[in-house]
Amino acid sequence: MASAQKMSRERILEGAVAILDSGQCADLTVDALARSLRMSKSTLYKYFDSKEDVIVSMVRVPASTPRPRCAPPRAMPIRPAS
């Protein structure tokens, strides 16, 4: 995927998250998303086939993002009872 296309998809996903954070799931419509991003619906449809495609991509992106591994816990030294 070209870098500009990837950036646009990420921008759309960030816009969808912002809408969901500010209200109900029903507030996420293609019209509302395009309006909030100041882009036409046809531009949005260039990157996603539907609102459902946006939602599925929102779930997939975080799941595919590499996460840092936690270091195993260090053993605490055992102190002899006094």
Side-chain angles (χ1 to χ4, degrees):
M1 181 180 310
S3 181
Q5 184 177 4
K6 184 177 180 183
M7 287 176 51
S8 293
R9 284 181 63 89
E10 289 173 3
R11 181 174 166 238
I12 293 167
L13 293 175
E14 289 170 2
V17 168
I19 290 173
L20 291 174
D21 282 347
S22 68
Q24 301 291 324
C25 188
D27 292 339
L28 180 58
T29 64
V30 172
D31 287 323
L33 184 55
R35 199 170 36 254
S36 73
L37 296 169
R38 295 190 173 132
M39 69 172 51
S40 68
K41 287 186 350 182
S42 62
T43 299
L44 198 145
Y45 282 121
K46 179 179 170 184
Y47 299 101
F48 295 95
D49 293 332
S50 64
K51 175 177 83 170
E52 290 76 17
D53 190 23
V54 172
I55 293 169
V56 167
S57 294
M58 288 169 57
V59 173
R60 284 188 180 156
V61 168
S64 65
T65 303
R67 299 196 188 331
R69 290 189 175 260
C70 295
R74 288 190 272 165
M76 303 266 305
I78 301 174
R79 295 184 185 170
S82 38

